[in-house]
Amino acid sequence: MNTRAYFDQIYQQPDPFQYRSRWYEARKRALTLACLPRPRYRSAWELGCSNGVLSAELATRCDALLATDLSEAALQDAAASTRHLSNVRLEQARHPEQWPDERFDLIVVSEVGYYLAPQDVVAMAAKLRGSLADDGLLLACHWVHPFDEALSSAQQVHRAFGRGLDEAFCYQDADLLMQAWSREPTSVARWEGLR
């Protein structure tokens, strides 16, 4: 599959995944934000930001947010979604081949990993661990049902991403798997002195 051509075609229509209109997508964003163990992050990175709907919400919890996507058309939509947010930087990139030099205390990979072949998932997982700050959180969320364009399953992606890290949380329902990992144990209660 030519991933760039696929997404270029998809983004010829406005909001092709209906991020702005589907309850499934609004709920997934709410779950993502609710599951973040910290109220604020210094430097975050969202891979596969699409039209920037999640980016705009993540940016309210971050001092700085890098949002990347393969599709130029998606990034144009993302620019419109985030134009009022001075802490968002948008970049076109193909991952895992193109990679930022920074380290991040929050990395979000939502609905991206299964477009990669298994060997590319493993390569991306290693690079993600290298880009994660010592106190950082890597969060992944993926649709669990098979579809024609998926080269890997959500479970394959999450197994690779979590290798060598501690699980911070896991949520799964009939449609999605959301999971996060860190280098050190994550307990909001302990951070707030409740235990």
Side-chain angles (χ1 to χ4, degrees):
M1 176 178 82
N2 181 332
T3 310
R4 185 179 296 256
Y6 169 73
F7 284 108
D8 284 346
Q9 179 183 357
I10 287 282
Y11 280 102
Q12 288 179 11
Q13 51 188 309
D15 198 13
F17 297 105
Q18 299 176 350
Y19 291 132
R20 292 183 174 97
S21 59
R22 280 193 178 142
W23 168 239
Y24 172 83
E25 296 296 342
R27 177 178 174 267
K28 184 175 67 177
R29 285 192 304 277
L31 283 167
T32 300
L33 294 167
C35 285
L36 294 176
R38 292 195 175 138
R40 192 139 191 97
Y41 292 85
R42 296 180 308 275
S43 180
W45 177 22
E46 181 191 6
L47 287 80
C49 67
S50 185
N51 62 5
V53 176
L54 176 59
S55 312
E57 295 190 36
L58 280 173
T60 66
R61 303 273 298 271
C62 306
D63 295 337
L65 172 66
L66 169 63
T68 59
D69 201 279
L70 176 64
S71 167
E72 185 177 344
L75 287 169
Q76 289 172 1
D77 287 346
S81 297
T82 60
R83 71 174 153 252
H84 61 290
L85 299 162
S86 61
N87 61 331
V88 176
R89 186 172 97 238
L90 301 172
E91 290 184 6
Q92 186 174 9
R94 180 183 188 90
H95 305 308
E97 297 87 352
Q98 296 167 299
W99 210 259
D101 294 330
E102 302 134 87
R103 293 181 77 206
F104 304 89
D105 61 338
L106 175 63
I107 301 175
V108 176
V109 185
S110 184
E111 311 287 1
V112 172
Y114 39 49
Y115 290 110
L116 300 173
Q119 66 272 17
D120 292 329
V121 170
V122 171
M124 179 181 273
K127 287 187 168 191
L128 287 168
R129 287 189 293 274
S131 295
L132 194 63
D134 291 342
D135 63 344
L137 183 80
L138 169 60
L139 184 151
C141 180
H142 290 88
W143 175 254
V144 296
H145 306 290
F147 59 99
D148 290 344
E149 295 79 18
L151 302 177
S152 299
S153 70
Q155 292 78 9
Q156 285 175 302
V157 172
H158 286 229
R159 272 196 305 273
F161 283 10
R163 197 164 290 126
L165 298 172
D166 289 337
E167 185 179 74
F169 68 80
C170 181
Y171 171 82
Q172 183 167 7
D173 62 27
D175 301 311
L176 69 87
L177 173 61
M178 183 178 297
Q179 206 167 3
W181 307 269
S182 61
R183 296 187 193 286
E184 52 194 43
T186 303
S187 168
V188 176
R190 188 166 59 196
W191 292 341
E192 295 208 322
L194 298 174
R195 67 174 189 91

